[in-house]
Amino acid sequence: MTDAPRSDMPHPAIEAVMREQALAVGYAPASAREGFAALLDLDHQLASILQSTTEPMIGQMRLTWWYEALVKLDREPAPAHPVLQRVATSVLPAGVKGADLAPMIEGWEALLDDGEPLDDERITRHAEARGGVLFAAMGKLLGAERMDAMGIAWAEADLAAHLSDKAVAELAGRLAAAELDAVLAGQSPKGARGLTGLAVLARESLRHPDRLPGHPLRAARLAWHGLTGR
């Protein structure tokens, strides 16, 4: 494997999401916050690859590097990359393996521009490999089981909020809306509210697309969820 690539600078839209998600991290138990934030950093890092790559082949090469790097965390010291080092120090000790996280790469590969429009199969593949894997790992940190379904719905909603193709965005949004309502039914346990708060924010994006990340009403909705679990 080659040397670690430089850390990709987040796209401004991703920076806004990162600031908002930091509020959700604050509702996680103190012992899990570092790992929770590290996993979100990993997701943002992978998103930045697609945001900053115009050549699909280059994007594929960069994603392949990340796949190999995650798998190697289970048997080698982390390379000199801050995201990988955070994962190694705050996620792996909780029992989440690098190989458990590597399938996230397949989710982002599903979005590489190959000249064909996104269809429901590719959207589902992205959501399962990205959101399902990410939320399962976060759930392990928080002691919350079976969070992958919530992660899949979250990823579908997040994709819908960031696509410029209106028709594809509506398709992804339809897939997510009913699923988010189902997984958020009832009161969320206190220890999992940092994670379920991400799903609440994703549902807010579908219900109020004019309220972008950082909008005060989104922050208020997250705070209410953090306090009540609703």
Side-chain angles (χ1 to χ4, degrees):
M1 185 170 64
T2 59
D3 292 340
R6 63 172 176 78
S7 180
D8 294 285
M9 294 299 294
H11 187 277
I14 296 177
E15 288 184 334
V17 172
M18 290 171 69
R19 288 192 294 271
E20 186 176 71
Q21 288 181 346
L23 299 177
V25 172
Y27 291 106
S31 60
R33 287 174 194 163
E34 282 297 319
F36 193 174
L39 288 170
L40 287 173
D41 281 352
L42 173 61
D43 187 60
H44 299 319
Q45 180 73 50
L46 300 178
S48 292
I49 290 175
L50 266 70
Q51 290 277 3
S52 62
T53 300
T54 57
E55 293 292 334
M57 184 175 295
I58 300 298
Q60 180 67 68
M61 292 172 61
R62 294 167 73 187
L63 288 172
T64 297
W65 186 93
W66 277 91
Y67 184 95
E68 294 175 351
L70 287 168
V71 171
K72 288 188 175 183
L73 285 181
D74 295 333
R75 61 180 186 272
E76 298 178 6
H81 192 290
V83 172
L84 289 170
Q85 291 179 347
R86 288 191 73 187
V87 169
T89 58
S90 60
V91 178
L92 268 60
V96 178
K97 296 181 179 179
D100 296 333
L101 300 172
M104 287 179 65
I105 305 303
E106 298 170 12
W108 289 104
E109 286 175 340
L111 301 185
L112 285 174
D113 185 7
D114 58 2
E116 298 294 329
L118 289 176
D119 56 19
D120 56 354
E121 187 276 331
R122 288 174 66 186
I123 291 172
T124 299
R125 182 153 46 96
H126 166 74
E128 290 178 348
R130 177 200 178 191
V133 170
L134 180 64
F135 271 54
M138 289 177 170
K140 192 164 188 176
L141 294 181
L142 300 173
E145 298 180 349
R146 296 186 295 276
M147 302 302 289
D148 53 325
M150 182 177 291
I152 291 168
W154 167 82
E156 290 168 348
D158 186 66
L159 180 63
H162 292 93
L163 287 173
S164 58
D165 188 315
K166 185 177 179 180
V168 178
E170 289 177 350
L171 171 61
R174 286 196 302 271
L175 290 171
E179 296 172 13
L180 283 171
D181 286 341
V183 297
L184 290 171
Q187 186 176 26
S188 299
K190 187 173 182 179
R193 288 177 194 171
L195 187 52
T196 56
L198 297 180
V200 167
L201 290 172
R203 187 169 63 178
E204 286 295 294
S205 294
L206 294 178
R207 291 179 172 179
H208 306 286
D210 57 318
R211 299 177 187 173
L212 299 178
H215 193 287
L217 290 179
R218 288 172 62 90
R221 179 67 184 89
L222 176 62
W224 176 252
H225 178 75
L227 290 172
T228 68
R230 300 286 183 179

